[in-house]
Amino acid sequence: MSARMKRKVGAGKVAVIEPSENHYYQPLWTLVGAGAKAVSTSRRSTASLIPSGVKWIKSQVQEFNPDKNCVRTDDGKEISYEYLIVALGLKLHYEKNHYYQPLWTLVGAGAKTVSTSRRSTASLIPSGVKWIKSQVQEFNPDKNCVRTDDGKEISYEYLIVALGLKLHYEKIKGLPEGFNYPKIGSNYSVETVDKTWKALQDFKEGNAIFTFPNTPVKCAGAPQKIMYLADSYFRKTGKRSKANIMYNTSLPVLFGIKKYADSLWNIVKTRDLNVNLRHNLIEVRPDKQEAVFEKLDNPGETVVFEYEMLHVTPPMGPHEVLKKSTLVDEAGWLDIDKDMLQHKKYPNVFGIGDCTNLPTAKTAAAVAAQSSVLDRTISRVMKNEKPDKRYDGYTSCPLVTSYNTVILAEFDYNGQPLETFPIDQSKERMSMFYMKADVMPHLYWHGLLKGFWGGPAPYRKIMHLGMK
Ligand SMILES: Cc1cc2nc3c(=O)[nH]c(=O)nc-3n(C[C@H](O)[C@H](O)[C@H](O)COP(=O)(O)OP(=O)(O)OC[C@H]3O[C@@H](n4cnc5c(N)ncnc54)[C@H](O)[C@@H]3O)c2cc1C
């Protein structure tokens, strides 16, 4: 209609309110679902479809006010225009889902499907527990309540904050729109993980680049795991000699724990993988297949690489709702005691997982170990007793190094290996791959989410005959 209205009254008088960056030709999804077309063929960027000269207002309408010829948008603006087009369509009420994100490393490499990482949230909420299907918009710990996006105030006696973290693709120039082009993927989002697998399959000849951003991340091993899988895939499909594989990381090291880093350096050398330390991705030019990196040790200096495949690990940070609350430290993470997981200022608030400022690597394995400590801490606080169980910072990263090998890194707050098995876990092992691909998902769905799995500490003791 905007094209028709432009022809009728001139572009200057017409505006379109549309929040989405992409527009889809939905009828094609019948064929996409049957594998006859790719989703990307049904997608165009909204920018390319708005007629030139017509104003595009990238917001959501929150309120219609036809008596005053205006609408109010989600950023609080009142908009009036001579001819305004708002074409809302209809709403699909999908069931909300929860994902076992660690599996996405294997999904991006074509070894698992997204659907195996998904369960409906409804099936995971313990029976009898109330599920409030809203987003928290504001924390008010001084009044013991939160406000949700539907404007309700919900009060609590005890609050456990487990918000996870926010992915910031938009902090890289050219993204997220760049994902509309082929050759780019990211295992970090359910929206883009399949694009990694597509980019791997479509690879012909050139640079395959894998990035690590200049922020804290969840699963610090995942940005390089997909590189090892790509290397294996190219070898399997006879393309390895045509691929120049690069790992461009903001960090000054390949991995934070020396024992495992030494093994990984060995692997990158023997497999001819190029590691560029202190290189931070700042721009993607998907039309030219170029990626721009800043050299963190030479401020102001950048380097441009052409790519045939690009895997992006986005910058990450705390959610805005948390950052603007009184619950956080200077960096915006939930400010809790590193031993007991209780909030430093509000004793009836607790935290777990990626949203916290616990000085350990952010992983699901860490969440499991934290869950048993938090269980104990809360039980004691409820009885007016002092918490007594301490979290040692246990975290784990199964470093997938091929389609059948893993180095199982496990360590604590001090960066000291805290290994479950009485073998050298810095070696690549097939047994650890099956642990990662098949055993850990079960532990997650049937152990951690049911409140039975609190990390491997008791088994570590047994395996080491009580010595660890
Ligand atoms: C590619 C990849 C590979 C990984 N590999 C591993 C691995 O091998 N091993 C490992 O242990 N870990 C791995 N991880 C990390 C692991 O998945 C995370 O550390 C873990 O899921 C963190 O759990 P969480 O509960 O803190 O956050 P999440 O699982 O992200 O959950 C946060 C929840 O908060 C909800 N939420 C957000 N905002 C609001 C709001 N305003 N109001 C209400 N609810 C809100 C979200 O909907 C979500 O349900 C990997 C992650 C990725 C992406």
Side-chain angles (χ1 to χ4, degrees), residues 98-105 134-137 162-165 187-189 218-219 222 225 319 321 352-355 362-367 396-398 436 440 444:
H98 178 79
Y99 292 89
Y100 177 57
Q101 301 167 36
L103 219 59
W104 293 348
T105 292
S134 308
Q135 268 200 320
V136 172
Q137 287 268 316
L163 280 187
L165 51 67
N187 288 355
Y188 273 84
S189 161
K218 53 180 156 186
C219 193
K225 296 178 200 178
H319 283 286
V321 58
I352 188 165
D354 293 354
C355 67
K362 297 180 187 299
T363 66
V367 170
S396 158
C397 186
K436 151 86 190 161
M440 286 175 184
Y444 184 80

Short mmCIF file of all heavy atoms in Angstrom, two decimals, residues 98-105 134-137 162-165 187-189 218-219 222 225 319 321 352-355 362-367 396-398 436 440 444, ligand 1:
data_model
loop_
_atom_site.label_atom_id
_atom_site.label_comp_id
_atom_site.label_asym_id
_atom_site.label_seq_id
_atom_site.Cartn_x
_atom_site.Cartn_y
_atom_site.Cartn_z
N HIS A 98 12.25 -23.50 25.54
CA HIS A 98 13.53 -23.36 26.22
C HIS A 98 14.53 -24.21 25.43
O HIS A 98 14.19 -25.27 24.92
CB HIS A 98 13.42 -23.89 27.66
CG HIS A 98 14.71 -23.81 28.40
ND1 HIS A 98 15.18 -22.64 28.95
CD2 HIS A 98 15.65 -24.75 28.65
CE1 HIS A 98 16.34 -22.87 29.52
NE2 HIS A 98 16.65 -24.14 29.36
N TYR A 99 15.78 -23.71 25.35
CA TYR A 99 16.79 -24.40 24.56
C TYR A 99 17.97 -24.85 25.41
O TYR A 99 18.40 -24.12 26.31
CB TYR A 99 17.32 -23.48 23.46
CG TYR A 99 16.29 -23.19 22.41
CD1 TYR A 99 15.42 -22.11 22.55
CD2 TYR A 99 16.16 -24.00 21.29
CE1 TYR A 99 14.45 -21.85 21.59
CE2 TYR A 99 15.20 -23.74 20.32
CZ TYR A 99 14.35 -22.67 20.49
OH TYR A 99 13.39 -22.42 19.54
N TYR A 100 18.50 -26.03 25.11
CA TYR A 100 19.77 -26.46 25.68
C TYR A 100 20.85 -25.92 24.74
O TYR A 100 21.22 -26.55 23.74
CB TYR A 100 19.81 -27.99 25.77
CG TYR A 100 21.13 -28.54 26.27
CD1 TYR A 100 21.63 -28.13 27.50
CD2 TYR A 100 21.87 -29.44 25.52
CE1 TYR A 100 22.85 -28.60 27.96
CE2 TYR A 100 23.08 -29.93 25.97
CZ TYR A 100 23.56 -29.50 27.19
OH TYR A 100 24.78 -29.97 27.65
N GLN A 101 21.35 -24.72 25.06
CA GLN A 101 22.22 -24.00 24.14
C GLN A 101 23.55 -24.71 23.84
O GLN A 101 24.07 -24.59 22.72
CB GLN A 101 22.52 -22.59 24.69
CG GLN A 101 21.28 -21.76 24.91
CD GLN A 101 21.56 -20.50 25.74
OE1 GLN A 101 22.61 -19.88 25.63
NE2 GLN A 101 20.61 -20.12 26.58
N PRO A 102 24.13 -25.46 24.81
CA PRO A 102 25.41 -26.10 24.50
C PRO A 102 25.37 -26.98 23.25
O PRO A 102 26.40 -27.20 22.59
CB PRO A 102 25.69 -26.92 25.76
CG PRO A 102 25.06 -26.13 26.86
CD PRO A 102 23.80 -25.59 26.24
N LEU A 103 24.18 -27.47 22.89
CA LEU A 103 24.09 -28.33 21.71
C LEU A 103 24.28 -27.55 20.41
O LEU A 103 24.53 -28.15 19.35
CB LEU A 103 22.73 -29.05 21.71
CG LEU A 103 22.75 -30.49 21.24
CD1 LEU A 103 23.66 -31.35 22.09
CD2 LEU A 103 21.34 -31.08 21.26
N TRP A 104 24.13 -26.23 20.47
CA TRP A 104 24.21 -25.44 19.23
C TRP A 104 25.57 -25.51 18.56
O TRP A 104 25.69 -25.30 17.35
CB TRP A 104 23.80 -23.99 19.49
CG TRP A 104 22.35 -23.85 19.86
CD1 TRP A 104 21.39 -24.82 19.76
CD2 TRP A 104 21.69 -22.71 20.41
NE1 TRP A 104 20.18 -24.34 20.21
CE2 TRP A 104 20.34 -23.05 20.62
CE3 TRP A 104 22.11 -21.42 20.75
CZ2 TRP A 104 19.41 -22.16 21.14
CZ3 TRP A 104 21.19 -20.53 21.27
CH2 TRP A 104 19.85 -20.89 21.46
N THR A 105 26.63 -25.83 19.33
CA THR A 105 27.94 -26.04 18.72
C THR A 105 27.84 -27.16 17.68
O THR A 105 28.35 -27.04 16.57
CB THR A 105 28.97 -26.45 19.81
OG1 THR A 105 29.17 -25.32 20.66
CG2 THR A 105 30.29 -26.89 19.22
N SER A 134 5.54 -13.45 31.37
CA SER A 134 5.82 -12.03 31.14
C SER A 134 7.31 -11.80 31.25
O SER A 134 8.04 -12.66 31.75
CB SER A 134 5.14 -11.16 32.19
OG SER A 134 3.79 -11.46 32.28
N GLN A 135 7.72 -10.62 30.82
CA GLN A 135 9.12 -10.22 30.98
C GLN A 135 9.21 -9.26 32.14
O GLN A 135 8.36 -8.36 32.26
CB GLN A 135 9.58 -9.48 29.74
CG GLN A 135 10.20 -10.37 28.70
CD GLN A 135 11.05 -9.56 27.75
OE1 GLN A 135 10.67 -8.47 27.36
NE2 GLN A 135 12.19 -10.10 27.38
N VAL A 136 10.24 -9.39 32.95
CA VAL A 136 10.45 -8.40 34.00
C VAL A 136 10.95 -7.11 33.34
O VAL A 136 11.85 -7.14 32.50
CB VAL A 136 11.50 -8.92 35.03
CG1 VAL A 136 11.86 -7.82 36.01
CG2 VAL A 136 10.94 -10.12 35.75
N GLN A 137 10.30 -5.99 33.70
CA GLN A 137 10.70 -4.69 33.14
C GLN A 137 11.41 -3.83 34.17
O GLN A 137 12.12 -2.91 33.83
CB GLN A 137 9.43 -3.91 32.72
CG GLN A 137 8.78 -4.44 31.48
CD GLN A 137 9.27 -3.75 30.23
OE1 GLN A 137 9.39 -2.55 30.23
NE2 GLN A 137 9.57 -4.51 29.20
N ALA A 162 17.79 -15.07 37.44
CA ALA A 162 18.49 -15.99 36.52
C ALA A 162 18.20 -15.56 35.09
O ALA A 162 17.66 -16.31 34.29
CB ALA A 162 18.02 -17.43 36.76
N LEU A 163 18.59 -14.31 34.77
CA LEU A 163 18.18 -13.71 33.49
C LEU A 163 19.03 -14.10 32.30
O LEU A 163 18.69 -13.76 31.17
CB LEU A 163 18.28 -12.18 33.60
CG LEU A 163 17.16 -11.43 34.29
CD1 LEU A 163 17.39 -9.95 34.13
CD2 LEU A 163 15.81 -11.80 33.70
N GLY A 164 20.17 -14.74 32.54
CA GLY A 164 21.09 -14.98 31.43
C GLY A 164 21.72 -13.66 31.00
O GLY A 164 21.75 -12.69 31.78
N LEU A 165 22.23 -13.61 29.78
CA LEU A 165 22.85 -12.36 29.31
C LEU A 165 22.29 -11.98 27.95
O LEU A 165 21.54 -12.73 27.33
CB LEU A 165 24.38 -12.49 29.27
CG LEU A 165 25.03 -13.67 28.57
CD1 LEU A 165 24.81 -13.64 27.08
CD2 LEU A 165 26.52 -13.68 28.86
N ASN A 187 26.61 -19.49 16.03
CA ASN A 187 26.03 -20.56 16.87
C ASN A 187 25.36 -20.01 18.11
O ASN A 187 24.73 -20.76 18.85
CB ASN A 187 27.13 -21.54 17.29
CG ASN A 187 27.60 -22.40 16.14
OD1 ASN A 187 27.05 -22.32 15.04
ND2 ASN A 187 28.62 -23.20 16.36
N TYR A 188 25.53 -18.71 18.37
CA TYR A 188 25.04 -18.15 19.62
C TYR A 188 23.56 -17.84 19.66
O TYR A 188 23.02 -17.51 20.71
CB TYR A 188 25.88 -16.91 20.01
CG TYR A 188 27.10 -17.33 20.79
CD1 TYR A 188 28.25 -17.77 20.15
CD2 TYR A 188 27.06 -17.39 22.17
CE1 TYR A 188 29.35 -18.21 20.87
CE2 TYR A 188 28.15 -17.83 22.90
CZ TYR A 188 29.29 -18.25 22.25
OH TYR A 188 30.35 -18.70 22.98
N SER A 189 22.87 -17.89 18.52
CA SER A 189 21.44 -17.58 18.54
C SER A 189 20.69 -18.66 17.77
O SER A 189 21.18 -19.17 16.74
CB SER A 189 21.21 -16.22 17.89
OG SER A 189 19.87 -16.10 17.50
N LYS A 218 29.42 -16.15 27.15
CA LYS A 218 29.07 -17.44 27.74
C LYS A 218 29.81 -18.51 26.95
O LYS A 218 30.00 -18.36 25.73
CB LYS A 218 27.56 -17.68 27.76
CG LYS A 218 26.82 -17.53 26.46
CD LYS A 218 25.34 -17.79 26.68
CE LYS A 218 24.47 -17.13 25.64
NZ LYS A 218 23.05 -17.27 25.93
N CYS A 219 30.21 -19.55 27.62
CA CYS A 219 31.02 -20.62 27.03
C CYS A 219 32.15 -20.08 26.15
O CYS A 219 32.04 -20.07 24.92
CB CYS A 219 30.18 -21.62 26.24
SG CYS A 219 31.18 -23.08 25.90
N ALA A 222 33.22 -21.99 22.98
CA ALA A 222 32.36 -22.19 21.80
C ALA A 222 32.84 -21.46 20.54
O ALA A 222 32.74 -22.02 19.45
CB ALA A 222 30.92 -21.81 22.13
N LYS A 225 35.38 -23.88 19.18
CA LYS A 225 34.95 -25.26 18.92
C LYS A 225 34.48 -25.39 17.47
O LYS A 225 34.77 -26.37 16.78
CB LYS A 225 33.78 -25.66 19.83
CG LYS A 225 34.11 -25.69 21.31
CD LYS A 225 32.85 -26.06 22.12
CE LYS A 225 32.93 -25.66 23.56
NZ LYS A 225 31.72 -25.94 24.34
N HIS A 319 21.53 -7.71 30.74
CA HIS A 319 20.27 -7.15 30.22
C HIS A 319 20.05 -5.74 30.77
O HIS A 319 20.38 -5.46 31.92
CB HIS A 319 19.09 -8.04 30.63
CG HIS A 319 18.98 -9.29 29.82
ND1 HIS A 319 18.53 -9.30 28.52
CD2 HIS A 319 19.27 -10.58 30.12
CE1 HIS A 319 18.53 -10.54 28.06
NE2 HIS A 319 18.99 -11.33 29.01
N VAL A 321 17.35 -4.31 31.75
CA VAL A 321 16.49 -4.27 32.93
C VAL A 321 17.30 -4.46 34.22
O VAL A 321 16.98 -3.88 35.26
CB VAL A 321 15.35 -5.32 32.81
CG1 VAL A 321 15.90 -6.72 32.64
CG2 VAL A 321 14.41 -5.28 33.98
N ILE A 352 21.97 -16.67 40.05
CA ILE A 352 22.59 -17.88 39.48
C ILE A 352 22.80 -17.67 37.98
O ILE A 352 22.00 -16.97 37.32
CB ILE A 352 21.69 -19.12 39.76
CG1 ILE A 352 22.39 -20.41 39.34
CG2 ILE A 352 20.32 -19.00 39.10
CD1 ILE A 352 21.72 -21.66 39.91
N GLY A 353 23.89 -18.19 37.47
CA GLY A 353 24.08 -18.23 36.03
C GLY A 353 24.74 -17.01 35.41
O GLY A 353 25.43 -16.23 36.08
N ASP A 354 24.48 -16.86 34.11
CA ASP A 354 25.21 -15.89 33.29
C ASP A 354 25.00 -14.44 33.71
O ASP A 354 25.80 -13.58 33.37
CB ASP A 354 24.78 -16.03 31.82
CG ASP A 354 25.21 -17.34 31.20
OD1 ASP A 354 25.94 -18.11 31.86
OD2 ASP A 354 24.80 -17.61 30.04
N CYS A 355 23.89 -14.13 34.39
CA CYS A 355 23.59 -12.72 34.73
C CYS A 355 24.40 -12.24 35.93
O CYS A 355 24.37 -11.05 36.25
CB CYS A 355 22.10 -12.55 34.99
SG CYS A 355 21.52 -13.39 36.47
N LYS A 362 31.18 -18.41 32.37
CA LYS A 362 29.72 -18.52 32.32
C LYS A 362 29.34 -19.75 31.48
O LYS A 362 29.48 -19.72 30.25
CB LYS A 362 29.11 -17.26 31.70
CG LYS A 362 29.37 -15.99 32.52
CD LYS A 362 28.75 -14.78 31.84
CE LYS A 362 29.12 -13.48 32.53
NZ LYS A 362 28.69 -13.38 33.93
N THR A 363 28.88 -20.81 32.16
CA THR A 363 28.48 -22.04 31.45
C THR A 363 27.29 -22.69 32.16
O THR A 363 27.00 -22.38 33.32
CB THR A 363 29.62 -23.09 31.44
OG1 THR A 363 29.85 -23.52 32.79
CG2 THR A 363 30.90 -22.58 30.83
N ALA A 364 26.64 -23.62 31.45
CA ALA A 364 25.55 -24.39 32.06
C ALA A 364 26.11 -25.30 33.15
O ALA A 364 25.45 -25.58 34.16
CB ALA A 364 24.84 -25.22 30.99
N ALA A 365 27.35 -25.77 32.95
CA ALA A 365 27.99 -26.62 33.96
C ALA A 365 28.16 -25.84 35.27
O ALA A 365 27.97 -26.39 36.37
CB ALA A 365 29.35 -27.10 33.45
N ALA A 366 28.52 -24.55 35.14
CA ALA A 366 28.65 -23.70 36.33
C ALA A 366 27.28 -23.54 37.00
O ALA A 366 27.17 -23.60 38.23
CB ALA A 366 29.23 -22.34 35.95
N VAL A 367 26.23 -23.37 36.18
CA VAL A 367 24.87 -23.22 36.72
C VAL A 367 24.51 -24.45 37.58
O VAL A 367 23.95 -24.33 38.66
CB VAL A 367 23.83 -23.04 35.59
CG1 VAL A 367 22.41 -23.12 36.13
CG2 VAL A 367 24.05 -21.71 34.87
N SER A 396 32.88 -25.77 33.55
CA SER A 396 33.43 -26.77 32.64
C SER A 396 33.17 -26.37 31.20
O SER A 396 32.16 -25.73 30.89
CB SER A 396 32.76 -28.11 32.95
OG SER A 396 32.85 -28.96 31.84
N CYS A 397 34.09 -26.74 30.33
CA CYS A 397 33.93 -26.43 28.91
C CYS A 397 34.38 -27.62 28.08
O CYS A 397 35.59 -27.89 27.99
CB CYS A 397 34.78 -25.20 28.59
SG CYS A 397 34.51 -24.62 26.92
N PRO A 398 33.45 -28.38 27.53
CA PRO A 398 33.87 -29.48 26.66
C PRO A 398 34.34 -28.91 25.33
O PRO A 398 33.52 -28.49 24.51
CB PRO A 398 32.59 -30.31 26.48
CG PRO A 398 31.52 -29.60 27.25
CD PRO A 398 31.99 -28.25 27.60
N LYS A 436 29.74 -35.23 25.90
CA LYS A 436 29.23 -33.90 25.51
C LYS A 436 27.96 -34.03 24.65
O LYS A 436 26.98 -33.32 24.87
CB LYS A 436 30.35 -33.19 24.73
CG LYS A 436 29.91 -32.18 23.67
CD LYS A 436 29.68 -30.82 24.27
CE LYS A 436 29.01 -29.87 23.30
NZ LYS A 436 28.41 -28.73 23.93
N MET A 440 25.53 -35.34 28.44
CA MET A 440 25.24 -34.03 29.06
C MET A 440 23.84 -33.50 28.77
O MET A 440 23.19 -32.94 29.67
CB MET A 440 26.32 -33.01 28.71
CG MET A 440 27.61 -33.29 29.49
SD MET A 440 28.93 -32.20 28.98
CE MET A 440 30.30 -32.81 29.95
N TYR A 444 21.14 -32.49 31.66
CA TYR A 444 20.49 -31.17 31.69
C TYR A 444 18.98 -31.31 31.84
O TYR A 444 18.37 -30.79 32.76
CB TYR A 444 20.84 -30.41 30.40
CG TYR A 444 20.31 -28.99 30.37
CD1 TYR A 444 20.97 -27.97 31.05
CD2 TYR A 444 19.17 -28.65 29.65
CE1 TYR A 444 20.51 -26.66 31.02
CE2 TYR A 444 18.69 -27.35 29.62
CZ TYR A 444 19.37 -26.35 30.30
OH TYR A 444 18.90 -25.06 30.28
C1 LIG B 1 26.89 -21.95 21.28
C2 LIG B 1 26.91 -22.19 22.75
C3 LIG B 1 27.64 -23.23 23.26
C4 LIG B 1 27.68 -23.48 24.62
N1 LIG B 1 28.36 -24.57 25.09
C5 LIG B 1 28.32 -24.87 26.40
C6 LIG B 1 28.91 -26.09 26.88
O1 LIG B 1 29.45 -26.88 26.11
N2 LIG B 1 28.85 -26.35 28.21
C7 LIG B 1 28.21 -25.50 29.08
O2 LIG B 1 28.16 -25.82 30.27
N3 LIG B 1 27.65 -24.35 28.66
C8 LIG B 1 27.68 -24.01 27.34
N4 LIG B 1 27.05 -22.86 26.88
C9 LIG B 1 26.61 -21.83 27.86
C10 LIG B 1 25.28 -22.12 28.52
O3 LIG B 1 24.29 -22.41 27.55
C11 LIG B 1 24.85 -20.92 29.34
O4 LIG B 1 25.91 -20.54 30.19
C12 LIG B 1 23.64 -21.26 30.20
O5 LIG B 1 22.54 -21.55 29.37
C13 LIG B 1 23.31 -20.12 31.15
O6 LIG B 1 22.11 -20.35 31.81
P1 LIG B 1 21.27 -19.13 32.41
O7 LIG B 1 20.12 -19.77 33.08
O8 LIG B 1 22.16 -18.24 33.20
O9 LIG B 1 20.82 -18.28 31.13
P2 LIG B 1 19.85 -18.72 29.94
O10 LIG B 1 19.86 -20.19 29.74
O11 LIG B 1 20.25 -17.86 28.78
O12 LIG B 1 18.39 -18.34 30.47
C14 LIG B 1 18.01 -17.01 30.73
C15 LIG B 1 16.49 -16.97 30.80
O13 LIG B 1 16.07 -15.68 31.23
C16 LIG B 1 14.93 -15.31 30.49
N5 LIG B 1 14.83 -13.83 30.49
C17 LIG B 1 15.63 -12.93 29.88
N6 LIG B 1 15.21 -11.68 30.12
C18 LIG B 1 14.12 -11.78 30.91
C19 LIG B 1 13.24 -10.83 31.52
N7 LIG B 1 13.39 -9.51 31.36
N8 LIG B 1 12.22 -11.29 32.29
C20 LIG B 1 12.06 -12.63 32.50
N9 LIG B 1 12.85 -13.57 31.94
C21 LIG B 1 13.88 -13.15 31.16
C22 LIG B 1 15.20 -15.88 29.10
O14 LIG B 1 13.99 -16.02 28.39
C23 LIG B 1 15.83 -17.22 29.45
O15 LIG B 1 14.85 -18.21 29.60
C24 LIG B 1 26.97 -22.62 25.51
C25 LIG B 1 26.22 -21.56 25.00
C26 LIG B 1 26.16 -21.35 23.64
C27 LIG B 1 25.32 -20.23 23.09
#
